[in-house]
Amino acid sequence: MSKHISPPSPERFGLTTFADLLPARDPIPGEDPGSFKGFREGMMWSLTPFTPYECVVAENLVAIEWELLQHRRMRDAALRRTICVAIRDAVVARERARHYAALRAAWQEFIDKGGDEDDWEDPFDFDEGAAREIGDDLGARAVSADPDVQAEACAEIVALGIAPVELMSKAYAELGAPASRHDEKIQELERRRREVKRDYDALQKVRPLEAEVIDG
């Protein structure tokens, strides 16, 4: 003898779907457009809520998982921004060093040709804006999603005399409190996830199922 299990129908509760129990979630700038919808659908398919209350708890789990992902993204975005600034500063320092080396060479050439130091005028100024653009471009390539572009940028960073892993370590240390707040929130959300998932698993074990006995 086996049981044929029929899940509750949303129509019995005046709903089109159990998802109608909760208000629609508005997007937040900074999230990948449309990404939450696919994430939620995949999570709900995995959790398979069976009753209206299970649907509410499942939505809570989805929200926690999504918030976890966003806090990790925000922390990582802050790390990338700090690393890119460090890369830009290193490039500006290199370009400034090159500028003054060229300036010294021009000065020496001027003197060697019999010039009077009182008549010396700098032939060119350091263009910090242009140097910053070069640094920003290298930083952008260093965090590119294209692995080949990223590898080439990392090689350029090494040529600056900087180990990329040291950049990452220094950036995380400089983040300080902001990174700690994200890490603390992540730990809190992971604790909440365990608690809600435990409650959800308990709900599934005591489902108020309707069953039709089938001979066989």
Side-chain angles (χ1 to χ4, degrees):
M1 188 181 301
S2 63
K3 292 184 178 181
H4 175 71
I5 300 173
S6 301
S9 171
E11 287 78 8
R12 288 179 51 192
F13 304 92
L15 304 170
T16 302
T17 71
F18 288 142
D20 295 337
L21 289 165
L22 298 176
R25 180 188 179 278
D26 294 326
I28 298 175
E31 297 175 345
D32 293 334
S35 58
F36 177 76
K37 181 180 178 181
F39 176 83
R40 179 190 174 279
E41 288 175 353
M43 288 289 294
M44 293 299 280
W45 182 87
S46 177
L47 292 168
T48 58
F50 199 66
T51 67
Y53 187 56
E54 282 186 19
C55 188
V56 172
V57 179
E59 289 282 5
N60 194 6
L61 267 175
V62 171
I64 291 172
E65 293 287 0
W66 182 253
E67 192 173 353
L68 267 169
L69 289 175
Q70 299 314 306
H71 273 285
R72 292 189 180 107
R73 288 182 70 240
M74 288 186 284
R75 181 193 61 193
D76 292 348
L79 275 172
R80 284 192 294 271
R81 183 171 60 251
T82 303
I83 289 172
C84 287
V85 169
I87 292 171
R88 183 193 65 200
D89 291 346
V91 169
V92 170
R94 179 194 65 187
E95 294 301 307
R96 182 178 286 109
R98 287 177 174 176
H99 167 79
Y100 285 115
L103 203 58
R104 286 193 297 272
W107 156 263
Q108 190 61 53
E109 182 181 2
F110 174 78
I111 296 299
D112 290 345
K113 289 182 177 180
D116 189 311
E117 63 181 55
D118 292 334
D119 296 330
W120 166 259
E121 292 183 2
D122 290 352
F124 41 80
D125 295 326
F126 175 59
D127 190 345
E128 183 163 347
R132 289 169 69 91
E133 287 182 6
I134 295 172
D136 287 337
D137 174 70
L138 178 56
R141 289 186 287 117
V143 296
S144 170
D146 185 325
D148 293 333
V149 172
Q150 185 186 31
E152 182 179 352
C154 285
E156 292 182 39
I157 292 169
V158 171
L160 288 170
I162 304 171
V165 69
E166 291 178 1
L167 274 176
M168 183 168 59
S169 176
K170 183 179 179 182
Y172 196 86
E174 289 180 356
L175 276 179
S180 296
R181 283 195 293 271
H182 285 303
D183 287 337
E184 289 170 2
K185 188 63 177 179
I186 288 170
Q187 292 175 13
E188 176 191 342
L189 288 166
E190 288 175 338
R191 176 184 56 77
R192 284 172 53 195
R193 176 178 60 187
R194 289 192 296 270
E195 294 173 351
V196 175
K197 185 61 168 62
R198 181 190 60 214
D199 293 344
Y200 187 75
D201 291 343
L203 273 177
Q204 289 185 315
K205 291 179 181 178
V206 292
R207 282 174 168 172
L209 303 179
E210 295 180 351
E212 176 183 348
V213 177
I214 301 175
D215 291 335

